[in-house]
């Protein structure tokens, strides 16, 4: 049920009703560069996607501000890299403690600028803080190696050292966690960073900067340069081409990732990228159908389907196809509620903007024109709200099975054999996450190894954890985030041959 946006007058009343109310120090609107809050010649609006109401006007940084931030990070790097691992660990832990202490206000920022329900926003804050906690511990576990030498007068040592300044470019769908997952690893390794948050969600990034300063992170180590959509290409070019930048970490679309890779090539920068996904969700005849439905609900409808690892193509074996559809439809009726994210019973907020809603509606129209049946939802509400939608009789020719949706759409394909399901799942040119439900142990091993993805959920719809690696294969990106491997993205190995020793 949608409680919002019945008429223009109700829409205006809703703008007055839902106001962002957070502690003043956390609502920052200027860039954060070299430990200072810096204004830009212009500002851009940040809107509540549920109402269209302006929340704040934020400094619209351009190339000059970006260059200044890079220079500050470069200067700070020469001091930060010499700070002991223990000291870096303590500072990251303090930052973690502050995120936990201010979780309610941080969650409000996420809800109002991204549309995410408050319960999910609180979960994101906890997830964000967990990365700082994890990497505060990993900072003290960055070990080199001593390699046995074939010569008696030599010692061979492998040292791990920070790469330098890292450009951090993050998306709007996890405006806090995507920053801490990258920055926690970078700072643990001894790197300094310049963060460019998404234009839709800069407030969360600036709040993190406020808390980083309070935690004692030195000036220039953590910098944030927000900018509008219009300024993004110019700022992105600086962050990807400036010779003082050694590393780029980006989360976003595959198309944008390819552009950034081209820009990084001229100076041969280190690059890690988490790009688009098109996750299959396979339910075999042997599955526990109730658990599969629960996993589908958790995976698909988190953040209204706007996550890079959410299930996109649902493949259900013919023996349980109708049963799965019936149970999933009833679960959607019982559990999903559209509304403003600050309402306690809301589970589905708006999509990030009108363009996102139009994309979902276009995929539904295409599927229906090719023979799919709408079992639930199917309509766009006022603004960027989109009804959770369940489609049956879906085929692989339909647009919703050929491109990522990023919305609350469940297209269900019937399949007959395991081989058929794997072929459909692996037909995409991306491979971030994949999920399947089965109680056949042999099948579990076969399918888990056969799926061409970087992340596999077996009888589980929610798989992310700070301790686990996160990343994809094919055109879903390069490198890994989280886990002990996340720090490696910000380190280089130096080989030292110590010769002339007396045996």
């Amino acid at each position: 049920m949608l409680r919002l946006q019945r008429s223009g007058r109700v829409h205006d009343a809703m703008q007055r009703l839902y106001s962002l109310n957070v502690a003043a120090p956390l609502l920052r609107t200027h860039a954060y560069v070299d430990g200072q809050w810096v204004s830009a010649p212009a500002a851009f609006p940040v809107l509540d996607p549920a109402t269209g109401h302006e929340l704040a006007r934020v400094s619209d940084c351009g190339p000059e501000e970006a260059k200044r931030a890079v220079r500050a990070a470069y200067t700070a790097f020469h001091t930060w890299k010499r700070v002991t691992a223990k000291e870096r660990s303590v500072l990251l832990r303090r930052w973690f403690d502050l995120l936990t202490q201010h979780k309610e206000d941080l969650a409000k920022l996420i809800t109002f600028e991204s549309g995410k329900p408050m319960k999910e926003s609180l979960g994101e804050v906890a997830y964000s803080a967990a990365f700082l906690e994890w990497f505060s511990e990993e900072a003290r576990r960055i070990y080199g190696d001593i390699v046995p030498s074939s010569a008696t007068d030599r010692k061979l040592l492998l040292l791990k050292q920070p790469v330098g300044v890292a450009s951090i470019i993050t998306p709007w769908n996890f405006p806090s966690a995507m920053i801490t997952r990258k920055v926690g690893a970078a700072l643990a390794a001894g790197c300094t960073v310049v963060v460019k948050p998404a234009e839709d969600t800069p407030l969360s990034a600036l709040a993190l900067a406020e808390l980083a300063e309070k935690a004692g992170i030195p000036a220039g180590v953590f910098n944030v340069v927000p900018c509008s959509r219009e300024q993004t290409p110019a700022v992105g070019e600086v962050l990807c081409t400036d010779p003082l930048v050694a590393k780029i970490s980006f989360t976003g679309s595959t198309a944008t990732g390819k552009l950034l890779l081209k820009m990084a090539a001229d100076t041969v920068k280190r690059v890690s990228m988490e790009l688009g996904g098109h996750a299959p969700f396979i339910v075999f005849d042997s599955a526990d159908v109730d658990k599969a439905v629960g996993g589908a609900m958790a995976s698909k409808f988190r953040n209204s389907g706007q996550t890079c690892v959410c299930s996109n193509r649902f493949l259900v074996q013919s023996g349980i196809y109708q049963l799965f559809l019936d149970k999933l439809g009833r679960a959607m009726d019982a559990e999903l509620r559209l509304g403003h994210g600050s309402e306690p019973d809301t589970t589905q907020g708006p999509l990030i903007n009108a363009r996102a809603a139009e994309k979902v509606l276009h995929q539904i129209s295409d599927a229906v024109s090719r023979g799919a049946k709408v079992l639930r939802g199917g309509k766009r509400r006022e603004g960027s709200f989109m009804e959770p939608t369940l489609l049956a009789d879906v085929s692989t020719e339909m647009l919703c099975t050929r491109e990522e949706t990023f919305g609350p759409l469940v297209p269900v394909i019937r399949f007959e054999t395991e081989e058929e399901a794997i072929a459909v799942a692996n037909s995409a040119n991306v491979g971030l996450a994949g999920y399947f439900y089965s109680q056949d142990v042999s099948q579990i091993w076969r399918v888990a190894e056969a799926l061409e993805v970087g992340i596999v959920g077996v009888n589980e719809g929610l798989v992310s954890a700070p301790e686990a690696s996160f990343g994809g294969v094919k055109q879903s990106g390069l490198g890994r985030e989280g886990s002990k491997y996340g720090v490696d993205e910000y380190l280089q190995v130096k080989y030292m041959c110590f010769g002339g020793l007396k045996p």
Side-chain angles (χ1 to χ4, degrees):
M1 128 183 128
L2 181 60
R3 299 177 301 281
L4 311 179
Q5 302 175 323
R6 304 273 192 241
S7 68
R9 283 183 296 178
V10 172
H11 185 67
D12 292 340
M14 185 173 62
Q15 290 190 358
R16 294 191 296 272
L17 177 62
Y18 299 111
S19 59
L20 177 60
N21 181 24
V22 301
L26 289 179
L27 186 57
R28 290 289 188 172
T29 57
H30 289 165
Y32 185 69
V33 177
D34 202 14
Q36 302 292 321
W37 294 101
V38 181
S39 62
F44 67 98
V46 179
L47 307 179
D48 179 346
T51 65
H53 178 60
E54 183 177 303
L55 301 172
R57 296 188 69 83
V58 173
S59 293
D60 193 3
C61 295
E64 288 307 311
E65 289 80 15
K67 290 176 184 176
R68 178 179 171 184
V70 169
R71 288 195 297 270
Y74 184 74
T75 300
F77 171 65
H78 294 288
T79 302
W80 181 248
K81 69 181 180 180
R82 292 195 294 270
V83 171
T84 67
K86 182 177 180 180
E87 290 176 89
R88 294 198 297 268
S89 175
V90 168
L91 290 173
L92 285 169
R93 178 69 196 204
R94 286 180 191 163
W95 199 7
F96 158 79
D97 289 337
L98 286 168
L99 261 69
T100 303
Q101 179 182 335
H102 294 279
K103 62 183 179 181
E104 294 286 344
D105 280 343
L106 294 172
K108 288 177 186 176
L109 289 171
I110 293 172
T111 287
F112 274 83
E113 65 180 350
S114 76
K116 188 175 295 188
M118 190 64 179
K119 182 179 179 180
E120 290 191 22
S121 295
L122 285 166
E124 180 178 344
V125 175
Y127 188 46
S128 305
F131 282 113
L132 298 180
E133 180 184 40
W134 172 257
F135 286 117
S136 74
E137 296 162 348
E138 287 299 291
R140 301 184 70 178
R141 303 190 187 110
I142 299 173
Y143 305 136
D145 291 295
I146 298 176
V147 181
S149 173
S150 58
T152 58
D153 62 345
R154 296 180 180 181
K155 296 294 182 183
L156 312 183
L157 295 87
L158 303 181
L159 312 178
K160 289 187 177 180
Q161 297 181 316
V163 298
V165 176
S167 293
I168 307 294
I169 304 174
T170 58
W172 51 263
N173 59 338
F174 286 90
S176 179
M178 294 302 94
I179 293 175
T180 60
R181 188 163 72 186
K182 299 172 186 293
V183 172
L187 269 56
C191 295
T192 56
V193 301
V194 179
V195 176
K196 192 209 84 64
E199 63 270 14
D200 295 300
T201 56
L203 300 178
S204 293
L206 296 171
L208 289 176
E210 169 69 17
L211 296 180
E213 183 175 79
K214 286 186 175 179
I217 304 294
V221 172
F222 180 70
N223 305 274
V224 181
V225 285
C227 66
S228 64
R229 181 178 294 273
E230 291 73 23
Q231 288 278 30
T232 290
V235 170
E237 183 175 0
V238 170
L239 297 182
C240 292
T241 62
D242 193 303
L244 299 183
V245 172
K247 155 82 182 180
I248 300 167
S249 179
F250 169 73
T251 295
S253 72
T254 298
T256 301
K258 290 178 180 179
L259 292 175
L260 301 186
L261 276 170
K262 289 177 182 177
M263 286 192 283
D266 282 345
T267 45
V268 196
K269 299 187 188 304
R270 285 278 295 274
V271 176
S272 58
M273 294 196 169
E274 190 254 289
L275 307 177
H278 193 28
F281 187 102
I282 308 170
V283 186
F284 291 102
D285 283 344
S286 68
D288 181 320
V289 176
D290 290 330
K291 289 183 178 179
V293 167
M297 293 291 291
S299 173
K300 177 74 255 186
F301 295 112
R302 185 168 58 123
N303 198 17
S304 299
Q306 299 174 110
T307 80
C308 51
V309 293
C310 78
S311 301
N312 213 62
R313 297 168 291 159
F314 289 74
L315 294 88
V316 181
Q317 202 158 12
S318 57
I320 57 168
Y321 182 81
Q322 192 58 52
L323 178 62
F324 178 84
L325 285 174
D326 292 344
K327 290 196 171 191
L328 181 58
R330 289 197 294 271
M332 291 170 64
D333 293 340
E335 298 177 25
L336 302 182
R337 295 290 182 271
L338 282 165
H340 194 284
S342 63
E343 292 284 357
D345 60 341
T346 291
T347 66
Q348 302 292 286
L351 300 192
I352 189 63
N353 52 41
R355 294 188 308 276
E358 288 164 4
K359 179 181 179 181
V360 178
L361 196 61
H362 177 60
Q363 288 192 357
I364 294 170
S365 299
D366 171 79
V368 171
S369 72
R370 297 172 184 267
K373 295 178 182 177
V374 178
L375 302 184
R376 295 292 190 285
K379 297 184 179 63
R380 176 182 171 182
R381 299 293 185 92
E382 189 174 340
S384 60
F385 282 89
M386 190 72 210
E387 291 181 346
T389 301
L390 176 60
L391 297 180
D393 298 337
V394 174
S395 69
T396 56
E397 290 77 30
M398 296 173 185
L399 195 59
C400 58
T401 65
R402 292 189 286 110
E403 67 176 27
E404 189 174 22
T405 300
F406 241 61
L409 172 60
V410 182
V412 186
I413 303 168
R414 185 196 304 264
F415 73 89
E416 298 296 334
T417 67
E418 179 183 310
E419 293 75 17
E420 178 188 353
I422 291 172
V424 172
N426 290 343
S427 63
N429 62 3
V430 292
L432 184 56
Y435 308 86
F436 69 93
Y437 279 72
S438 170
Q439 296 185 91
D440 180 332
V441 175
S442 296
Q443 183 176 61
I444 286 172
W445 281 110
R446 288 195 306 269
V447 176
E449 292 181 348
L451 287 177
E452 296 172 355
V453 295
I455 304 166
V456 181
V458 183
N459 297 326
E460 180 56 62
L462 296 176
V463 296
S464 298
E467 302 86 354
S469 65
F470 194 100
V473 299
K474 297 193 279 191
Q475 294 187 34
S476 278
L478 305 166
R480 293 294 181 268
E481 294 184 342
S483 77
K484 66 177 183 179
Y485 301 106
V487 178
D488 290 343
E489 300 292 336
Y490 299 89
L491 295 167
Q492 55 194 359
V493 178
K494 177 184 286 184
Y495 162 46
M496 184 173 75
C497 181
F498 191 172
L501 302 175
K502 293 181 180 180

